[in-house]
Amino acid sequence: MRPFDYTRAQDSAEAARIAGQGATFIAGGTNLLDLMKLEVMTPDHLVDITHLDLNEITQTEAGGLRIGALVTNSDLAADMAVRRGWPLLPKALLSGATGQLRNKATTGGNLLQRTRCYYFYDPDMPCNKREPGSGCAAMGGMNRLHAILGASDACIATHPSDMAVALRALGAHVDLMAEDGSTRTLPLGDLYRLPGDTPEVETNLKPGELITHVVLPAPVHGRQIYRKVRDRASYAFALVSVAAVIDVESGVISQAKLAFGGIAPMPWRMTEIEDFLIGKAPSEDLWEEAADLLLSDARGQGSNDFKIPLARRTLAAVLNEATRGDDQ
Amino acid sequence: MQTKLTINGNEHDLEHDTRTTLLDALRNHLGLSGTKKGCDHGQCGACTILINGRRINACLTLACMHDGDEITTIEGIGTPDNLSPMQAAFVQHDGFQCGYCTPGQICSATAMLEEARMGWPSHVTDDVTSAPDLTDTEISERMSGNLCRCSAYPNIVDAIRQVSEKTT
Amino acid sequence: MTAHLKMDKPDTRNRLDHTAQGLIGAGMDRPDGKAKVTGTAAYAFEDQPEGMAHGVLVRANVAKGRLNDIDRDSVLRLPGVLAAMCGPRFLRNPAQGGANEAPVQGSEGIAYLGQPVALVVAETFEQARHAAHMLTLQIDAQEGQTDPDIAGYESPDAKQAQQGDLDRAMKDAATAIDVTYTTPSHNSAAMEPHAAIAEWDQDMLTLRGSYQMLKYNRNELADALGIDPKCVRILAPYVGGGFGSKLGIAPEAVAAALAAHELNRPVGVALTRQQVFEGTMRRSESRQRVRLAADASGKLQGIGHDAYISNLTDEVFSEPVTQATPFIYAGENRVIGHHIARVNRTCAGSVRAPGESIGVTVLENAMDELAHQTGIDPVELRLMNIPDKNPTSGLPFSSHTLAEALTTGRDRFGWDQRNPQPGSTRKGDWLIGMGMASAVRVNILSEARVRVTLMPDGTARVQTDMTDIGTGTYAILTQICAEMLGLPETDVSVSLGDTDHPPGPGSGGSWGASSVGTAAFLACEKIRRELAKKVDADEADLTLKDGMVSYANRQVRLADMIDEEIEIEGHVEPGDTSDDVTQSTYGAHFAEVAVNAVTGETRVQRMLGVFAAGRILNHKTARSQCLGGMTFGLGMALTEELMHDPRDGHIVNRDLAEYHLPVNLDVPQLDVVLLDERDAYANPLQSKGIGELGICGAAAAITNAIFNATGVRVRDYPATLDKVLAGL
C-alpha cells in the first residue's frame, strides 16, 4: 500500500470538492483496501465519506425508495420495505459476499467495485485495465470468471456485483453530486461503460463525482427471482446470474424485466429480450428464442465457454420458475 | 497520525501510519493478537471482530476510520477463566482443531445470532419477508464467511445451534 | 533414565484396556481448547518481541531465469526501510518433510514464478509491504518449461513394479476397464499463513515459527544458515494448521534469520496468502491411468496404475500416487508405473495424505466404473476383492478392517435405497445419487522421544518437541499419561513445540499420536515400575487412579510415595513389525449428492465415513480429524484446483476468493463412525494413524455419486459444474 493522506469529510459537498482535487472516496473499503494492499490501486489521498449523512432509506413520492449511498448491504437487505416491495434486491445482496463484508460494504461502493479478474489482481501481469496498453493476460490465459458479452479486444473482465444486477432489472437510477455541488441522475445502465479501447475507464462518473443515492422506482407486479450460479454453495462470485421480474396475465407475459451477472463487464440488460417476451405465452421454445437474443453475440474465451450454454439454461430455468404455478 | 480506539471497553491512543488496518493495529501495535490474519483480503474471516456489535473483517478497514466506535475482539468476548457461552460450546463440541480461525468463528457466531434475532434473512431464506428459523442450513450459510481448513464446520454448527437454542 | 522400545514384536498385552483412570478413548475436551477459543494461544507471529522489524518477501516474476541483483537503492530511501536482501542462503522452496538438510538454496537461480528471491525489512509492516512492491529485481529471463506433458516424463526404475502379465489379464478379462483420470494441483491452505520471527542472542538463534517437524526443521535451518544445530532453538507451541505445507523449514524462516543477524534485532516475516499459494508446497497435478481386469464373477485378475506427476528439478519428493495400489485389492497381475516431469512450477510436496489422497480416489473411481459395467453392487465388488494377504509382497496384514467398514457403512447409510441405474432419481430440478469408495492409508511408526516427569506433588509434566497442528497432540498425551499414572487430566501438563525438549516424530504422515504417544506410554510405564520398586510390588499389580496407588490391599497417595521428581525419557523406534507385516488403516465413504439438472451444480447432501485406525485414543479429536479429511475430499471432488497459467505455469488463483476451499454451507452434517480395533503390531497402544485416512477415497465417493445421479462420469477433477453440464 502506498502512503496516502487521509481526510474525513463532514458533508457531501466537502467530499466532492476534495475528490475533485484528485482524492479517492473510501466508504466500506472492502474492495478498495483489498486492491490497495496489492498496489493495484494506489491513491495518494483518501477522503473518508463514512460520516456523511447518506445512510437513510426513504420513500419517494413516486412510491419508490431513495437509498443513501452509505447504507450498508446488510441494512439494505434487512430493510422491511425493501424486502416487501423489491425482494429481488435482498435476494441478490444476500447471495453476495459474506455477513462480515455486507456489514461494511455500502450501496455506492458495491456499484463501483472492480473486477475480480486474476490478472487485474496481480501487478506483475499485463492488464489493460490496471495498466493501459500493457495487454490482456486473461486472453489466452485462465478466464473462467470472464465475460462472454460486451468485452473488447482490450479487456474481457466481468463486473462482479450481484446487487447491481438486481438494481438494473428493477430500473434503478443513481443520484450523483459533482465537485461543484451540482447534482444529476443517471439510469444505472448509464453509470457504466463497456471496456472498448479504454477498459481503465469503467464508469461515466466525472472526476470527484459522488454517488449519493440509488433510487428505485415503485414496485412492479410480478414474481421476483435472483438465481446465482457459482462454484461454491456460498461465498463465490457468480459464473452466471439472472435477475428477473416476470408477471403473467391471462396466460401471456405482461411484465418482463431481466438482467444478468457474471457474463459481462457491467450488469447486463437487453430490453429487446423483455419486449420480445411481452404478450407471449410461456413455453420452452420461447425461452430458447429469448436466450438466442441474449447470446447471439456471445463469445467464449476458452475456460469460460461453458457460460454460453449455462446462461441459456439458467435463463430458461428462471423463466420457467417465474411463470410456473397458479398464482400468476 | 493519532487515533483513539475503544477496544473491549478500554481506550487506546494509537500513533500509526494512515495505512494501518484495524487488524494490524490490534496485532502489531496493541498486542491483541487473538484476532488472526489468515488472508488479509476479506476472504477467510479469521480477523472477524465486532464494531458497534456488528461483525466485520478487521483486515479490510483502516484503524483511523474507527475512533468513537465500540470495538469488541475475542479478548472481550471471554477469558479462559470466564468463557462466553459460545466459547464454551466450541470447546465442548470441538468446534476447531488448529484453532487459528476460531476467534473469528466465535466473534462471527456471536454477532450472527444477534442478526438472526433481529430477523435478518439470508441467502437460504425462502421468503425474505419472513424472520427465518435458525436451521442448520441457515447457520451454515450465515457462517460461510469464516473458512475453517481443519473443517470443524459440523461441530461449529452443533456449537452454535446449542447456544442458539439456550438463548431463545 | 530412558525407557526404550524397538518395535520388533507385536505387543499383545493391551495395557490400556487394563488401566483404571478411564480416560483413554474418551472424548475429552482439548486441554488447549480454552486458549484457542479465547485467542490466548500464541501462534508463530504473535508474542512479537520488543523492537521487532517486519520483513516482506519479494517474488520472482518469471518462471525461469537468473536474478543478477536487486536495486537496494530503490527502496532504502523509502521511510523506515532497514534492508533489502537476497543471496546464496535464501531457499528456493521449503524443505520436503523429513529432509533434515536445507533444500536448494540461492536466490540467483529462479525456478518458478512466485519464488521468493528477496526480502525487504522495515520498521513497520506497512513500510515493508510497500517497499517490497517497489523493489526492482534485475532478472535475466530464460525459457522455462511449465507444461508437464511438453516437458516429458522420467520413469525411474526403482519406482516401477510389475508382477504377472497384466496385458494378458486385460485380454482375458470378462470385463476390462482402462481409464485415465486427471487431478489438479492442490494447496494445503492452512488458515495460519507461514510465519517466522527470528531473534539472535550472540550465536544463539531462537525462531518462533509455524512448522510441523521441529527436530528436522532445526537441522534444516542450521544447515541453511551454515551454523551448528545446537545454536538453533525453534518454538512452535501452536501451529495454525499444516496438512503437510509446514513439514520443512521454509524461505521465511531463513530470510528472517538472515535479516535479524544483519540488523542485530528481531525480524518477523509472515507470508501473505498469495505467497502461501505460490511459495509453499503444492500437491502435484496427476494424470492416472488405471487398468482393471475382472473375471466373470467380478474378481480382479489384474490391476495397473500409472501415475504422471511433476516437480521442480532436484526435488526427491514425487507424489506417491500408487502407494496403496499394491495391496488394497487382490489380483495376481499388476503393473505400477510412476513418471515424473521436471517443470518450472511451484514446488510439489506433501499435502494431506500424499499418495492415497488422489491415488485411492482415482482407483476407487475406476472400481465404480467396473461395478457399473459388470452390474455388481459397488460394495459387493470391493468385498469380493479384499485379499487375505498382501498380494504384492505376500506379507500378512497386521489387521484388516475394510470388510467391516464397508458393511457397517452400507447398513448405516441406507445403501439399499440406491438405484443402480444412473439418472433415475429426480426431485424437482435436482438429480439425486449415491456413491461410495473404500479408504486406505498406510500406517507408519516413527522414532519419538518424550520426557515425562512425575513431580513430588503427584502431578506430571510431559515435554517433547512434537507439535499439535490441530491434530490433538495436547489431548492424547494428556490422556495417555494421566491414564498410565492414574491422575485426573488436570494434573498433567503437556509442553510441546520446543526443540529444547526431547525430539518427537513431528506431525506428518498420520504417525504423530501413535509414535509420540508410545514414547509417553513407555516413560509412564517405567515410572510405574519405579513406583512399584518403592513398595516392593510388581508393576502390573499396581492400580493407579485419581492420584492414589493401590496394591496388595493397600492404598497410598501417589504424592506421599515420592519425595523427588521421577524423570523418564520414553523412546520408541520402529522395528521388525514395520517390515514383517503390512500395516494399514481402512475405511469406507458413502455420499449422497444432488446435482442440479439445469446448471450442473453439485451439493453433497449426506456423507458417512466409517474408519478403523486401531485403538482410538480420543473419540472427539479423532472424529474431528475424520471430518477434516472428508471435507478435504469434498473440496477435491468439487471445487479445489490450483490453476496454472498455460504460458508461464504460475498459479493464477492465488487467494482464498478463487481457490475454493469448501465453506460451511458446502459441508453437510457429516457422519463418522470409528470402529473398535486393536492392532498389536502397530505399537503398545494398539493405535494407528487417523489424520489422513478421511481424505483417502472421499472424493471418489462424491464423484461416483454424481455418476449415479446423472450418468455423467467426470474424469477430470474437480467436478465443477461446467464439466457436469457438458454431459447433461
Side-chain angles (χ1 to χ4, degrees):
Chain A
M1 204 184 287
R2 281 198 201 160
F4 56 82
D5 294 327
Y6 168 84
T7 306
R8 182 178 290 178
Q10 300 306 322
D11 58 48
S12 303
E14 182 192 5
R17 190 175 66 249
I18 298 170
Q21 295 156 13
T24 299
F25 297 121
I26 183 166
T30 53
N31 191 211
L32 178 59
L33 291 170
D34 170 32
L35 291 165
M36 285 171 63
K37 288 179 184 192
L38 299 167
E39 303 210 354
V40 172
M41 293 180 74
T42 54
D44 53 18
H45 189 173
L46 289 184
V47 52
D48 176 357
I49 58 171
T50 55
H51 291 250
L52 306 191
D53 193 16
L54 296 174
N55 45 21
E56 303 251 304
I57 302 172
T58 54
Q59 300 276 338
T60 65
E61 283 178 15
L65 288 181
R66 189 171 155 89
I67 302 159
L70 292 174
V71 173
T72 66
N73 290 177
S74 289
D75 284 331
L76 187 55
D79 184 272
M80 201 42 95
V82 175
R83 284 154 72 182
R84 291 211 177 98
W86 299 264
L88 180 65
L89 182 53
K91 283 177 185 177
L93 281 162
L94 294 169
S95 75
T98 66
Q100 290 96 313
L101 289 164
R102 292 192 296 268
N103 276 337
K104 259 299 189 180
T106 63
T107 305
N110 187 315
L111 293 175
L112 296 181
Q113 63 184 300
R114 312 291 303 274
T115 183
R116 307 301 302 201
C117 171
Y118 327 104
Y119 300 95
F120 174 70
Y121 261 78
D122 186 342
D124 281 329
M125 298 295 147
C127 172
N128 288 322
K129 186 185 281 298
R130 190 183 65 249
E131 196 179 329
S134 62
C136 172
M139 292 182 206
M142 306 308 290
N143 43 52
R144 183 175 182 79
L145 287 173
H146 291 69
I148 53 172
L149 290 169
S152 72
D153 290 342
C155 183
I156 57 173
T158 45
H159 192 272
S161 173
D162 292 297
M163 183 194 80
V165 178
L167 288 176
R168 196 113 204 247
L170 293 169
H173 286 61
V174 287
D175 285 351
L176 309 175
M177 176 183 280
E179 182 188 356
D180 60 5
S182 64
T183 61
R184 61 177 178 141
T185 295
L186 287 180
L188 181 62
D190 291 349
L191 176 69
Y192 297 108
R193 289 167 59 123
L194 290 177
D197 295 335
T198 54
E200 73 279 14
V201 185
E202 294 169 354
T203 69
N204 288 313
L205 292 174
K206 296 172 192 157
E209 202 166 26
L210 176 69
I211 298 176
T212 59
H213 298 87
V214 170
V215 181
L216 283 176
V220 290
H221 267 287
R223 195 172 279 187
Q224 303 196 6
I225 294 170
Y226 190 74
R227 177 72 167 98
K228 178 174 180 177
V229 185
R230 50 181 156 177
D231 275 329
R232 291 194 285 215
S234 187
Y235 203 5
F237 293 95
L239 296 168
V240 167
S241 71
V242 178
V245 184
I246 304 285
D247 204 7
V248 179
E249 278 177 47
S250 313
V252 297
I253 294 169
S254 56
Q255 172 81 270
K257 297 189 181 303
L258 290 165
F260 304 86
I263 57 173
M266 58 188 278
W268 199 250
R269 185 172 176 190
M270 288 173 69
T271 48
E272 304 94 291
I273 306 174
E274 300 166 12
D275 297 342
F276 167 76
L277 290 170
I278 298 284
K280 298 197 176 67
S283 76
E284 291 292 343
D285 288 344
L286 189 66
W287 309 155
E288 284 298 313
E289 289 179 64
D292 287 343
L293 283 175
L294 173 68
L295 296 164
S296 58
D297 292 333
R299 203 177 118 208
Q301 296 286 341
S303 37
N304 70 348
D305 291 349
F306 70 94
K307 285 186 177 180
I308 298 173
L310 181 62
R312 173 177 294 277
R313 296 170 74 107
T314 307
L315 173 60
V318 165
L319 291 171
N320 260 332
E321 185 185 342
T323 55
R324 186 187 298 151
D326 50 13
D327 55 343
Q328 295 290 334
Chain B
M1 67 180 297
Q2 277 207 323
T3 303
K4 192 185 287 287
L5 293 175
T6 307
I7 306 168
N8 304 323
N10 302 315
E11 289 204 346
H12 300 262
D13 285 311
L14 183 69
E15 175 73 39
H16 65 101
D17 195 309
T18 51
R19 294 173 289 183
T20 305
T21 62
L22 191 48
L23 175 61
D24 290 326
L26 294 170
R27 287 175 63 82
N28 295 341
H29 296 269
L30 300 170
L32 291 167
S33 57
T35 307
K36 305 304 181 192
K37 183 184 282 192
C39 73
D40 218 13
H41 288 270
Q43 299 162 354
C44 79
C47 67
T48 303
I49 59 167
L50 313 186
I51 303 276
N52 304 327
R54 289 200 177 180
R55 52 179 172 160
I56 64 140
N57 303 103
C59 70
L60 286 186
T61 193
L62 295 170
C64 59
M65 295 173 78
H66 291 286
D67 64 348
D69 286 333
E70 290 288 337
I71 299 166
T72 306
T73 67
I74 190 68
E75 290 90 348
I77 298 276
T79 61
D81 295 331
N82 186 21
L83 299 179
S84 78
M86 189 65 78
Q87 288 169 320
F90 267 65
V91 173
Q92 183 193 338
H93 290 278
D94 215 31
F96 55 90
Q97 293 198 63
C98 81
Y100 198 77
C101 72
T102 312
Q105 298 275 1
I106 288 170
C107 285
S108 187
T110 302
M112 181 276 280
L113 288 186
E114 186 60 20
E115 293 169 3
R117 198 192 58 74
M118 293 189 293
W120 288 14
S122 86
H123 169 60
V124 296
T125 308
D126 282 336
D127 175 3
V128 294
T129 61
S130 71
D133 292 335
L134 208 51
T135 61
D136 285 359
T137 305
E138 283 280 357
I139 293 172
S140 287
E141 159 59 18
R142 291 161 191 259
M143 291 300 294
S144 283
N146 291 85
L147 302 189
C148 172
R149 184 51 151 172
C150 300
S151 192
Y153 296 135
N155 293 347
I156 289 168
V157 171
D158 286 343
I160 295 172
R161 188 196 313 111
Q162 176 180 307
V163 176
S164 164
E165 284 169 357
K166 276 188 184 163
T167 54
T168 52
Chain C
M1 278 188 288
T2 302
H4 174 259
L5 171 71
K6 188 156 180 285
M7 195 63 201
D8 284 330
K9 298 192 301 283
D11 183 338
T12 54
R13 296 174 301 155
N14 254 329
R15 278 304 302 265
L16 292 175
D17 281 332
H18 306 293
T19 47
Q21 192 64 30
L23 275 172
I24 291 294
M28 189 189 85
D29 292 347
R30 290 169 198 260
D32 45 321
K34 286 185 177 179
K36 287 177 172 174
V37 300
T38 55
T40 51
Y43 296 82
F45 213 63
E46 297 159 11
D47 277 351
Q48 297 177 2
E50 193 69 29
M52 187 188 91
H54 287 260
V56 173
L57 288 162
V58 182
R59 93 210 273 217
N61 57 7
V62 300
K64 189 174 184 212
R66 185 187 145 93
L67 176 71
N68 295 318
D69 205 353
I70 56 175
D71 182 5
R72 290 174 182 76
D73 294 341
S74 66
V75 296
L76 283 172
R77 60 187 167 73
L78 297 172
V81 176
L82 301 167
M85 313 167 62
C86 59
R89 294 206 180 273
F90 271 62
L91 302 189
R92 182 185 72 175
N93 47 261
Q96 298 287 351
N100 218 26
E101 60 181 8
V104 174
Q105 286 181 274
S107 47
E108 188 180 88
I110 296 167
Y112 60 99
L113 200 158
Q115 180 179 330
V117 292
L119 181 77
V120 177
V121 188
E123 292 288 349
T124 70
F125 170 62
E126 291 78 11
Q127 292 164 339
R129 179 178 54 193
H130 173 55
H133 278 291
M134 298 299 288
L135 185 70
T136 308
L137 306 176
Q138 294 159 14
I139 290 175
D140 285 336
Q142 297 162 358
E143 189 69 20
Q145 185 51 265
T146 59
D147 183 333
D149 288 337
I150 295 172
Y153 294 87
E154 308 160 5
S155 303
D157 288 344
K159 289 182 182 285
Q160 320 302 318
Q162 187 165 351
Q163 72 187 65
D165 185 344
L166 180 61
D167 290 339
R168 183 62 183 263
M170 290 290 286
K171 278 201 202 94
D172 294 348
T175 310
I177 299 289
D178 185 347
V179 288
T180 297
Y181 280 71
T182 58
T183 64
S185 298
H186 296 135
N187 186 277
S188 290
M191 296 312 299
E192 180 201 21
H194 299 54
I197 298 175
E199 190 169 11
W200 292 84
D201 181 4
Q202 308 291 334
D203 293 338
M204 279 296 305
L205 170 65
T206 301
L207 187 105
R208 296 186 60 90
S210 190
Y211 303 103
Q212 296 177 227
M213 304 177 77
L214 299 195
K215 76 171 170 188
Y216 302 111
N217 303 144
R218 177 192 210 178
N219 292 336
E220 290 153 3
L221 181 56
D223 185 35
L225 298 170
I227 62 175
D228 188 332
K230 290 196 186 73
C231 294
V232 174
R233 183 184 185 195
I234 301 181
L235 299 173
Y238 293 100
V239 178
F243 315 109
S245 73
K246 296 169 180 171
L247 291 176
I249 208 71
E252 72 283 352
V254 173
L258 292 169
H261 195 264
E262 180 171 314
L263 296 170
N264 197 28
R265 62 188 279 192
V267 173
V269 180
L271 299 192
T272 65
R273 179 54 64 180
Q274 290 79 3
Q275 290 170 337
V276 171
F277 275 106
E278 60 190 16
T280 73
M281 297 301 187
R282 69 182 168 98
R283 189 201 305 282
S284 172
E285 77 292 324
S286 77
R287 187 170 82 245
Q288 301 179 45
R289 178 187 183 199
V290 177
R291 284 171 286 174
L292 300 174
D295 69 15
S297 71
K299 287 218 155 118
L300 287 168
Q301 304 302 311
I303 300 179
H305 197 168
D306 285 275
Y308 297 81
I309 50 93
S310 72
N311 208 343
L312 291 167
T313 54
D314 302 318
E315 288 298 315
V316 291
F317 178 89
S318 64
E319 181 76 22
V321 177
T322 57
Q323 197 154 251
T325 313
F327 68 89
I328 179 170
Y329 295 122
E332 284 168 23
N333 305 288
R334 215 168 276 259
V335 168
I336 302 285
H338 189 91
H339 316 281
I340 311 158
R342 298 296 171 185
V343 291
N344 298 106
R345 287 184 174 188
T346 293
C347 191
S350 295
V351 177
R352 200 172 198 166
E356 289 94 326
S357 54
I358 55 173
V360 172
T361 293
V362 168
L363 188 62
E364 289 298 298
N365 285 132
M367 286 293 280
D368 198 65
E369 299 211 30
L370 178 62
H372 181 69
Q373 281 217 13
T374 56
I376 300 170
D377 177 80
V379 177
E380 286 301 325
L381 180 69
R382 280 142 177 111
L383 286 171
M384 73 170 67
N385 281 296
I386 294 174
D388 51 16
K389 61 179 195 231
N390 184 321
T392 299
S393 65
L395 293 176
F397 292 109
S398 63
S399 72
H400 209 296
T401 49
L402 179 55
E404 189 186 352
L406 289 165
T407 53
T408 303
R410 176 177 64 190
D411 297 345
R412 185 178 175 97
F413 195 69
W415 184 251
D416 58 351
Q417 299 299 304
R418 171 182 179 265
N419 188 332
Q421 183 61 39
S424 53
T425 308
R426 184 168 179 144
K427 289 181 189 163
D429 279 344
W430 294 90
L431 300 162
I432 312 296
M434 289 189 200
M436 58 77 55
S438 299
V440 55
R441 172 72 175 161
V442 293
N443 185 59
I444 302 166
L445 182 69
S446 188
E447 185 179 7
R449 293 173 191 265
V450 175
R451 184 190 300 129
V452 180
T453 309
L454 185 62
M455 314 297 277
D457 65 358
T459 64
R461 187 179 67 200
V462 185
Q463 297 168 309
T464 165
D465 81 351
M466 180 63 180
T467 48
D468 186 334
I469 62 172
T471 39
T473 316
Y474 282 107
I476 60 101
L477 285 181
T478 300
Q479 288 171 286
I480 290 167
C481 294
E483 186 66 45
M484 288 295 287
L485 300 175
L487 298 174
E489 71 259 29
T490 46
D491 281 354
V492 176
S493 71
V494 176
S495 173
L496 301 177
D498 181 347
T499 52
D500 279 357
H501 294 332
S507 299
S510 295
W511 56 60
S514 292
S515 305
V516 77
T518 295
F521 170 90
L522 295 169
C524 292
E525 200 176 36
K526 179 114 180 197
I527 291 173
R528 290 175 62 109
R529 282 200 289 272
E530 293 298 315
L531 293 172
K533 260 193 242 168
K534 285 178 188 287
V535 294
D536 205 20
D538 192 16
E539 184 265 327
D541 295 334
L542 293 189
T543 301
L544 275 62
K545 187 170 194 301
D546 293 332
M548 301 300 291
V549 182
S550 310
Y551 60 99
N553 293 327
R554 296 182 56 184
Q555 196 173 44
V556 292
R557 283 182 66 225
L558 178 60
D560 293 341
M561 282 180 70
I562 44 179
D563 41 28
E564 59 182 13
E565 294 178 357
I566 305 176
E567 182 179 292
I568 309 289
E569 185 169 293
H571 177 204
V572 64
E573 292 180 275
D576 294 341
T577 63
S578 295
D579 304 321
D580 293 348
V581 292
T582 297
Q583 291 185 29
S584 185
T585 56
Y586 295 95
H589 297 281
F590 292 82
E592 182 180 292
V593 302
V595 181
N596 191 288
V598 174
T599 62
E601 294 159 290
T602 298
R603 302 282 182 259
V604 178
Q605 296 192 312
R606 289 195 298 139
M607 195 167 176
L608 164 67
V610 182
F611 305 108
R615 180 194 304 279
I616 300 302
L617 296 167
N618 181 322
H619 270 83
K620 189 176 281 189
T621 57
R623 175 176 171 275
S624 291
Q625 286 277 286
C626 297
L627 296 178
M630 290 162 73
T631 305
F632 253 75
L634 193 155
M636 185 193 300
L638 300 180
T639 58
E640 288 186 43
E641 173 178 18
L642 288 176
M643 299 190 289
H644 293 281
D645 186 277
R647 296 153 301 194
D648 57 22
H650 89 274
I651 293 165
V652 174
N653 53 336
R654 53 186 196 130
D655 63 29
L656 291 171
E658 296 306 331
Y659 182 82
H660 290 136
L661 308 189
V663 299
N664 201 317
L665 189 61
D666 288 307
V667 183
Q669 292 304 94
L670 306 171
D671 189 12
V672 172
V673 174
L674 297 167
L675 298 177
D676 200 31
E677 188 197 3
R678 303 284 182 266
D679 190 334
Y681 287 90
N683 55 66
L685 311 177
Q686 276 101 351
S687 64
K688 294 192 281 195
I690 190 86
E692 296 169 307
L693 181 59
I695 186 176
C696 302
I702 294 168
T703 48
N704 291 342
I706 291 174
F707 177 75
N708 179 244
T710 62
V712 179
R713 188 72 79 177
V714 177
R715 295 193 182 91
D716 173 25
Y717 278 94
T720 46
L721 61 91
D722 46 310
K723 297 173 195 167
V724 178
L725 193 62
L728 286 176

